[in-house]
């Protein structure tokens, strides 16, 4: 079975483990982005390695094409320019086998392109990077794509003797090692599957395209230059873009420059990489993404840092409000919910998971249940003859009256040809629930940090 495993199933398996630390852990703890090592042994390593190579090839082809298309335009650096918004192309990682959204960022002077995982649950933005070449490896041509910090005139490492390094960045896993005061402040991220990334902190310039086809530069953005990113975790992307709520997050810094907010439109998560949308800093209106009707709910900042929390009142399925204890959603207690671009599946703590699954299963009794053992996906079925219109609609109700009604395909998800699964993962109680990126697909999302509100609306992202 492992040998003939169809691609989409593999894809789903990859993305399942992205949420694993939420399932097992506590909100607020740095979670893992991609844990491919946790794949069920059944799928076999050989196949993984093979698909990794395909994906790496696809990335480098894409990059070469981008370089040719990239013409220089003078940077517009006028901080007072009112209606400008910065945009970064964004697409689904499905082609690379990951259930994440990838965004292209230009870093350094002159700007170099990197492809990063857009993660509202991370504060640090880091990329695979070459800072200094050492010894014999210096002259050797680099096969993997990295950010060449040694070729950027704006790259400034932070000294390890600084307070920033010693105290402020301790949350970001800075190391206390400091052989000489001006040595760069370094970090060490470790993941439970054995992968790790080591690097140095730096201030760097990032460049945004503006809607008016000009460019804007943002200086002194904290970035991580990862000289090693061991493990298979970061094959699809060069690193991570930190969009979380933190003083070190690129989102917070860029939002400060572009009107206090950022937004993204998530295309269908199974879209190929040539179907793209934008991550936008500032007003989305100029970017001209059509959104059916934006609804707003309170964005609760600062309670579960660096995550974006929301006040949920309940979940209904087919207009029936499910019996979920209020404490499950209580941000001041031990529950609560967050909206996260870096988590694929929607994670519900047990007291919410059970009633949601039970209500949805009712409508699927006519389909043959399949015993597939696909990670945390508990309920899968043979979807021959499936019609989404017969599934009762799930609605997430917010305390302030806003309602989020995702399309059925965002919770009855494709797992393989002819196989669909209920797209929820269970998490232990107490803990936070997570609205993952599959649930957010085909919608526009605006994180308005200035007004503490989250806007959302149905959109085809074009
Ligand atoms: C920057 O914006 C200010 C205020 O709008 C304007 O007076 C100034 O001319 C602008 N500078 C440039 C270089 O566009
Ligand atoms: C890095 O940028 C911060 C502002 O974001 C600034 O306070 C600090 O002095 C800069 N450090 C270096 C080494 O450039
Ligand atoms: C950012 O820094 C300020 C002042 O240093 C502090 O008051 C604030 O709580 C910090 N914000 C976050 C999200 O850490
Ligand atoms: C994307 O690529 C596929 C072939 O790989 C093509 O059929 C499709 O039209 C492309 N879509 C867009 C929006 O360019
Ligand atoms: C924005 O969208 C409208 C309607 O789809 C279209 O007529 C207009 O040309 C678009 N503007 C830009 C700048 O793309
Ligand atoms: C689903 O059922 C149909 C017939 O009812 C069968 O042909 C097909 O192979 C089944 N698919 C899976 C994935 O079990």
């Amino acid at each position: 079975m492992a040998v003939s495993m169809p691609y989409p199933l593999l894809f789903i398996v990859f993305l399942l483990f992205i949420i694993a630390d939420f399932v097992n852990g506590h909100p607020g703890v740095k979670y893992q982005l991609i844990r491919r090592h946790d794949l069920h042994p059944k799928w076999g390593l050989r196949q993984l390695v093979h698909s990794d190579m395909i994906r790496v090839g696809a990335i480098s082809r894409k990059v070469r094409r981008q370089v040719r298309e990239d013409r220089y335009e003078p940077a517009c650096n006028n901080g007072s320019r009112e209606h400008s918004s910065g945009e970064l192309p964004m697409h689904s990682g499905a082609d690379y086998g990951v259930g994440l959204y990838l965004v292209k960022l230009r870093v350094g002077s002159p700007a170099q392109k990197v492809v990063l995982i857009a993660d509202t649950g991370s504060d640090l933005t880091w990329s695979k990077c070459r800072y200094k070449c050492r010894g014999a490896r210096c002259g050797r041509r680099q096969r993997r794509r990295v950010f060449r910090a040694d070729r950027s005139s704006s790259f400034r490492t932070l000294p390890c003797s600084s307070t920033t390094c010693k105290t402020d960045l301790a949350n970001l896993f800075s190391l206390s090692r400091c052989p000489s005061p001006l040595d760069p402040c370094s970090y060490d991220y470790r993941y439970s599957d054995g992968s790790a990334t080591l690097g140095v902190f730096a201030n760097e310039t990032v460049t945004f395209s503006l809607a008016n086809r000009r460019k804007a530069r943002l200086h002194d953005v904290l970035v991580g230059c990862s000289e090693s990113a061991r493990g298979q975790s970061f094959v699809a992307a060069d690193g991570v873009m930190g969009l979380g709520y933190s003083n070190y997050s690129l989102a917070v810094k860029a939002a400060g420059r572009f009107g206090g907010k950022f937004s993204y439109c998530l295309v269908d998560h199974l879209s190929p990489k040539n179907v793209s949308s934008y991550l936008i800093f500032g007003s989305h209106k100029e970017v001209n993404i059509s959104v059916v009707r934006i609804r707003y709910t309170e964005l609760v900042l600062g309670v579960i840092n660096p995550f974006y929390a929301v006040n949920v009142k309940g979940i209904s399925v087919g207009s029936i409000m499910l019996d979920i204890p209020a404490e499950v959603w209580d941000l001041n207690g031990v529950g609560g919910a967050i909206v996260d671009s870096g988590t694929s599946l929607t994670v519900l703590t047990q007291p919410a998971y059970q009633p949601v699954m039970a209500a949805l299963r009712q409508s699927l009794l006519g389909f043959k249940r399949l015993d597939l053992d696909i990670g945390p996906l508990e309920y899968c079925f043979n979807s021959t003859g499936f019609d989404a219109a017969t599934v009762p609609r799930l609605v997430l109700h917010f305390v302030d009256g806003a309602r989020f009604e995702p399309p059925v395909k965002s919770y009855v998800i494709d797992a393989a040809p002819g196989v669909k699964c209920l797209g929820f993962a269970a998490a232990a109680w107490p803990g936070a629930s997570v609205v993952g990126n599959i649930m957010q697909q085909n919608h526009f999302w605006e994180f308005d940090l200035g007004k503490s509100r989250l806007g959302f609306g149905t959109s085809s992202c074009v």
Side-chain angles (χ1 to χ4, degrees), residues 299-362:
L299 187 62
V300 188
L301 302 169
V303 285
I304 321 182
N305 280 339
F307 302 105
Y308 294 102
V310 284
N311 269 315
V312 173
K313 186 170 81 184
I315 294 177
S316 65
V317 171
S319 311
I320 298 166
M321 206 63 174
L322 302 179
D323 186 16
I324 299 170
E327 59 178 348
V328 164
W329 312 119
D330 185 5
L331 282 166
N332 301 314
V334 288
I338 62 162
V339 172
D340 186 18
S341 71
T343 301
S344 299
L345 289 174
T346 287
V347 184
L348 297 173
T349 53
Q350 284 290 352
Y353 177 81
Q354 295 300 346
V356 167
M357 292 293 282
L360 290 171
R361 270 199 308 261
Q362 280 302 315

Side-chain angles (χ1 to χ4, degrees), residues 78-81:
N78 197 337
S80 54
R81 182 173 292 269

Side-chain angles (χ1 to χ4, degrees), residues 173-439:
F173 311 101
S174 64
L175 299 177
S176 54
R177 190 180 62 216
C178 195
S180 124
L182 287 180
D183 280 352
C185 180
S186 51
Y187 59 79
D188 182 356
Y189 282 4
R190 280 176 190 279
Y191 300 94
S192 49
D193 65 350
S195 61
T197 179
L198 279 160
V200 297
F201 290 108
N203 279 358
E204 186 46 294
T205 295
V206 300
T207 306
F208 296 90
S209 299
L210 300 181
N212 59 13
R213 305 187 135 261
R214 303 187 69 161
K215 291 190 176 160
R217 293 203 176 115
L218 202 58
H219 303 287
D220 281 338
V221 174
L222 180 77
V223 297
C225 168
S226 281
E227 294 185 282
S228 93
R230 274 184 287 123
Q232 290 299 304
S233 294
F234 297 100
V235 170
D238 302 326
V240 172
M241 180 182 289
L243 297 174
Y245 189 67
S246 139
N247 283 334
Y248 307 109
S249 136
L250 176 63
V252 171
K253 179 116 182 170
R257 162 69 175 77
F258 297 108
K261 55 189 176 183
F262 71 94
S263 51
Y264 54 66
C265 196
L266 299 189
V267 297
D268 190 297
H269 77 281
L270 292 173
S271 301
K273 61 181 185 293
N274 62 354
V275 177
S276 65
S277 189
Y278 291 100
L279 171 67
I280 303 150
F281 294 97
S283 169
H284 69 277
K285 299 218 170 76
E286 281 174 59
V287 181
N288 215 7
I289 288 173
S290 64
V291 187
V292 172
R293 180 183 144 207
I294 300 194
R295 289 145 209 269
Y296 291 97
T297 188
E298 185 193 355
L299 187 62
V300 188
L301 302 169
V303 285
I304 321 182
N305 280 339
F307 302 105
Y308 294 102
V310 284
N311 269 315
V312 173
K313 186 170 81 184
I315 294 177
S316 65
V317 171
S319 311
I320 298 166
M321 206 63 174
L322 302 179
D323 186 16
I324 299 170
E327 59 178 348
V328 164
W329 312 119
D330 185 5
L331 282 166
N332 301 314
V334 288
I338 62 162
V339 172
D340 186 18
S341 71
T343 301
S344 299
L345 289 174
T346 287
V347 184
L348 297 173
T349 53
Q350 284 290 352
Y353 177 81
Q354 295 300 346
V356 167
M357 292 293 282
L360 290 171
R361 270 199 308 261
Q362 280 302 315
S363 65
L364 301 171
L365 294 177
F367 297 93
K368 188 176 186 312
R369 185 170 175 182
L370 301 172
D371 185 16
L372 284 179
D373 188 20
I374 313 181
L377 291 183
E378 183 195 322
Y379 194 92
C380 299
F381 61 96
N382 182 327
S383 62
T384 307
F386 176 79
D387 177 6
T390 65
V391 176
R393 294 299 291 268
L394 177 145
V395 178
L396 190 61
H397 302 258
F398 295 100
V399 168
D400 46 19
R403 293 154 43 102
F404 169 50
E405 188 172 341
V408 170
K409 67 171 180 182
S410 296
Y411 48 96
V412 182
I413 64 176
D414 285 312
V419 180
K420 289 188 193 289
C421 303
L422 291 180
F424 298 92
W429 174 256
S433 295
V434 186
V435 178
N437 66 36
I438 295 178
M439 199 65 92

Side-chain angles (χ1 to χ4, degrees), residues 97-109:
V98 292
L100 292 162
Y101 288 84
L102 304 175
V103 68
K104 286 175 214 156
L105 182 69
R106 289 193 184 85
V107 192
S109 311

Side-chain angles (χ1 to χ4, degrees), residues 62-77:
K62 197 177 173 91
V63 168
R64 279 200 296 275
R65 196 167 62 237
Q66 282 160 2
V67 168
R68 278 203 304 275
E69 287 164 2
D70 187 24
R71 280 177 227 101
Y72 179 73
E73 287 171 74
C76 160
N77 208 1

